Amino acid sequence: MRAKYSFINIATGLGNQLVITSLSFISRTIFISYLGVEYLGISGLFTSILAMLALAEAGVGSSIVYSLYKPVAENDQEKINVLMNLYKKAYMVIALIVLLVGLSIMPFLELFTKDTSVENIHLIYLIFLINTVLPYLYLHKNNFLSVCQKTYMITGIYSISSIASVCLKIGILYYTKNFILYLVADCFITIVTSAVLAIIVNRMYPFLKNKVTRKLDSETRSNIIKNIKAIVLQNIGTYLVFGTDNIIISTFVSITAVGLYSNYNMLIEICRTFVNQVFSNIYHSVGNLIAQETKEKVYSIYKVTMLLSFWLYSTLGILLLIMLEPFIAFWIGSKFLMSKGVVVILIIIFYERGMRNSISTVKTTSGIFHEDRFAPLFQAAVNLVISIILVRHIGIAGVFIGTLISALVVPFWVTPYLVYKKVFNKPIIMYFVKYFHFTIIATGTYFTTNLVWSLIEPDTFVTLVLKGIICLITINTIYILIFYKTKEFKYLFNIIKNIMGTILERFKINKKVTYKS
């Protein structure tokens, strides 16, 4: 059942992402054409500033979601209701805090936007702020569906919402070129989407509307508070590592540089989001698995997810290294290109973060929050110091070098150490042997694929797409030849084979029914 729900959630997530990605390219192209790269920089900067305010969430969501796995698995409706009531109240308070802190930042916006010619900066920021606050009012409902492994329903609603939003914004840009109206439209769609999801959850789980008649037990409350304290530190550290890049670039380089980077970041994040559609849906299945199965079973599934993580992230990383620059040149022009060195650093960061997905999933769903609570703060300190020093000497590349070094200094080894010690009870050397084995394979595959790629000169966009397909086939052929005898590959292959068999069987049944009728 876990595999079934995961596949449904992944399939709908990937389908949604394909549609949204296609529309996003159209939207971004029109955005650059009608508003320019400076507005793109402002958008990226305000997104980063408001991501800082999201730290007010303080791990409440992750902690309560972790506490929900067991009562959901046992269908303990009374305890679910108590936790959801706490969840709702917590997010109401968070929404108020984010709003007040966000408003207090408004007088200081000039510190980050002093070199921009964009007008109505404060109004633009205010709309960004409102759009950040509103989802908190309904977020507890969305997360409950995810814990119940019904993420595909959230994805379906957000698919319709995103399509409507992007189409509306494209129309606004094309006909009015009005950035403020563009933002207001996004805000309106957010309100409608959140309300619709809340109504759906209430109808599916009517017991959530029951009056809460008891208080949360002291043990659960104590665990939630303990985890929140730890996750607060982790969230702050994570933001200071990944959320401050745009702020540092805008402060020490320029708003325009933020706009240039945002195009690369958008393409990389599209790839990351595609893979996250797989892992975010596996996430809740792993939480369910840990709540019910033995450590050996969890470890065997973890090895499968590690292979899957490597396969997906290294494949996309190689494709990005080879195709990112020519794609941007064809898409919006060579004047939007950054140096090759910056691209290489960004892809290494992409791969390193991606390879931590499987181990981080086990860590979080096992409730390991407290033990490494200070690690993200140390990582953040390393990142900020190195980034600020290097950006003054080598420019924008220094910001990303700081991010990479800080990741290698802290989470690269701390996260696997905790999981192998506390969950698997196995020596950490097993993780690093496997990790470097995978990385050597990826490196060799990159050079082989790049050699094949260099034989074809991309002179048209169609040729570029053709080369991308050739690269994809080359990478996957190499990986299949290397891994086809492993237990993890056979496990994944059997899941895919069984699911495809089920789909084909249902297709045949439906075809017969249609024929008879």
Side-chain angles (χ1 to χ4, degrees):
M1 188 62 74
R2 279 189 292 263
K4 175 186 173 184
Y5 280 136
S6 291
F7 178 77
I8 293 172
N9 291 334
I10 290 166
T12 54
L14 290 175
N16 167 65
Q17 198 58 40
L18 279 170
V19 174
I20 300 307
T21 298
S22 302
L23 290 172
S24 295
F25 274 113
I26 299 171
S27 178
R28 176 61 65 99
T29 305
I30 293 174
F31 191 107
I32 293 171
S33 298
Y34 286 98
L35 294 178
V37 72
E38 199 170 359
Y39 275 93
L40 208 56
I42 287 291
S43 182
L45 174 63
F46 286 171
T47 299
S48 295
I49 291 173
L50 292 170
M52 175 180 64
L53 300 186
L55 295 173
E57 196 269 346
V60 170
S62 298
S63 183
I64 297 178
V65 162
Y66 170 70
S67 300
L68 277 167
Y69 284 127
K70 189 173 181 181
V72 166
E74 297 173 351
N75 196 29
D76 186 348
Q77 294 185 2
E78 190 175 6
K79 186 165 185 178
I80 291 171
N81 241 353
V82 174
L83 286 167
M84 287 297 288
N85 186 56
L86 173 64
Y87 209 171
K88 178 181 178 180
K89 289 179 178 177
Y91 272 126
M92 290 291 183
V93 173
I94 288 165
L96 180 61
I97 292 171
V98 170
L99 180 62
L100 293 176
V101 175
L103 290 173
S104 70
I105 290 174
M106 285 185 71
F108 306 100
L109 290 178
E110 285 79 5
L111 295 175
F112 308 107
T113 59
K114 55 190 176 184
D115 65 336
T116 182
S117 59
V118 175
E119 298 178 349
N120 301 311
I121 287 292
H122 291 85
L123 179 57
I124 291 170
Y125 172 80
L126 183 61
I127 299 171
F128 266 94
L129 176 61
I130 292 170
N131 208 21
T132 301
V133 169
L134 288 173
Y136 283 117
L137 304 180
Y138 302 97
L139 198 56
H140 61 293
K141 301 279 189 181
N142 297 12
N143 288 345
F144 182 69
L145 275 180
S146 296
V147 173
C148 295
Q149 299 185 62
K150 300 288 176 58
T151 310
Y152 62 90
M153 300 188 69
I154 301 172
T155 303
I157 297 297
Y158 275 112
S159 294
I160 298 170
S161 164
S162 298
I163 292 168
S165 177
V166 173
C167 290
L168 181 59
K169 290 190 291 185
I170 287 173
I172 289 170
L173 284 178
Y174 184 79
Y175 289 106
T176 72
K177 304 179 182 63
N178 190 314
F179 186 51
I180 292 174
L181 190 58
Y182 170 95
L183 296 175
V184 169
D186 198 31
C187 199
F188 173 74
I189 296 291
T190 298
I191 296 171
V192 173
T193 305
S194 300
V196 168
L197 270 169
I199 292 168
I200 290 173
V201 173
N202 286 337
R203 288 183 177 177
M204 287 183 63
Y205 304 97
F207 69 85
L208 292 175
K209 294 186 287 186
N210 295 343
K211 186 178 180 180
V212 176
T213 56
R214 77 176 197 193
K215 293 183 178 180
L216 193 64
D217 62 276
S218 58
E219 182 182 357
T220 303
R221 187 187 302 110
S222 176
N223 285 335
I224 288 174
I225 292 171
K226 177 183 175 182
N227 289 337
I228 286 174
K229 288 179 180 177
I231 298 172
V232 142
L233 299 176
Q234 292 176 355
N235 284 354
I236 292 172
T238 300
Y239 170 77
L240 292 174
V241 172
F242 297 109
T244 56
D245 286 351
N246 283 338
I247 297 174
I248 294 173
I249 294 168
S250 69
T251 303
F252 293 97
V253 186
S254 69
I255 287 288
T256 301
V258 176
L260 290 176
Y261 162 60
S262 71
N263 292 319
Y264 284 79
N265 188 53
M266 184 192 81
L267 295 171
I268 292 170
E269 285 304 314
I270 284 172
C271 293
R272 197 190 312 280
T273 303
F274 268 106
V275 183
N276 283 346
Q277 290 297 335
V278 176
F279 281 92
S280 63
N281 290 297
I282 288 176
Y283 178 93
H284 296 289
S285 295
V286 172
N288 186 269
L289 184 79
I290 289 170
Q292 300 181 55
E293 300 288 355
T294 63
K295 289 184 177 182
E296 285 304 317
K297 176 67 174 177
V298 174
Y299 181 63
S300 66
I301 297 301
Y302 155 73
K303 288 193 293 183
V304 174
T305 63
M306 187 178 185
L307 174 61
L308 182 61
S309 183
F310 162 75
W311 200 301
L312 295 174
Y313 274 101
S314 63
T315 298
L316 290 172
I318 292 168
L319 283 174
L320 285 169
L321 266 176
I322 293 172
M323 295 188 63
L324 194 55
E325 289 181 297
F327 179 84
I328 288 178
F330 274 111
W331 173 36
I332 50 179
S334 56
K335 65 180 180 180
F336 290 95
L337 292 175
M338 295 195 297
S339 70
K340 183 67 175 181
V342 170
V343 177
V344 171
I345 297 165
L346 289 174
I347 303 309
I348 293 173
I349 293 171
F350 170 80
Y351 175 77
E352 191 280 327
R353 283 183 67 187
M355 283 298 287
R356 271 191 276 127
N357 249 1
S358 53
I359 198 77
S360 296
T361 296
V362 177
K363 173 184 172 294
T364 306
T365 52
S366 298
I368 301 175
F369 302 117
H370 187 72
E371 290 81 354
D372 64 340
R373 60 194 181 280
F374 296 115
L377 292 180
F378 181 65
Q379 181 187 1
V382 173
N383 173 60
L384 288 174
V385 170
I386 295 176
S387 294
I388 291 172
I389 291 173
L390 291 182
V391 75
R392 292 173 180 272
H393 292 88
I394 60 175
I396 193 170
V399 178
F400 306 121
I401 291 173
T403 301
L404 178 59
I405 291 174
S406 68
L408 296 176
V409 168
V410 185
F412 176 72
W413 64 272
V414 170
T415 301
Y417 170 78
L418 289 172
V419 171
Y420 270 72
K421 180 182 178 182
K422 291 186 167 290
V423 181
F424 300 147
N425 296 327
K426 296 182 183 295
I428 185 62
I429 190 66
M430 294 175 65
Y431 171 81
F432 287 113
V433 168
K434 179 65 73 175
Y435 188 101
F436 287 113
H437 172 67
F438 281 149
T439 303
I440 290 168
I441 291 172
T443 304
T445 303
Y446 162 71
F447 284 114
T448 303
T449 307
N450 196 40
L451 181 63
V452 174
W453 166 269
S454 63
L455 299 176
I456 310 170
E457 186 64 33
D459 49 4
T460 65
F461 191 77
V462 174
T463 312
L464 185 68
V465 173
L466 178 63
K467 288 184 177 183
I469 294 171
I470 292 171
C471 286
L472 201 58
I473 293 171
T474 305
I475 295 165
N476 283 280
T477 300
I478 293 171
Y479 285 174
I480 290 170
L481 291 173
I482 292 172
F483 295 110
Y484 79 98
K485 288 186 178 181
T486 65
K487 291 180 181 179
E488 292 78 23
F489 178 86
K490 290 176 181 177
Y491 183 92
L492 287 170
F493 182 75
N494 284 333
I495 289 177
I496 295 170
K497 185 172 70 174
N498 291 336
I499 290 170
M500 293 304 296
T502 303
I503 292 172
L504 289 172
E505 190 64 34
R506 288 184 180 179
F507 176 77
K508 289 177 183 177
I509 292 170
N510 291 335
K511 192 173 180 181
K512 287 180 181 178
V513 170
T514 304
Y515 178 76
K516 288 179 181 179
S517 60

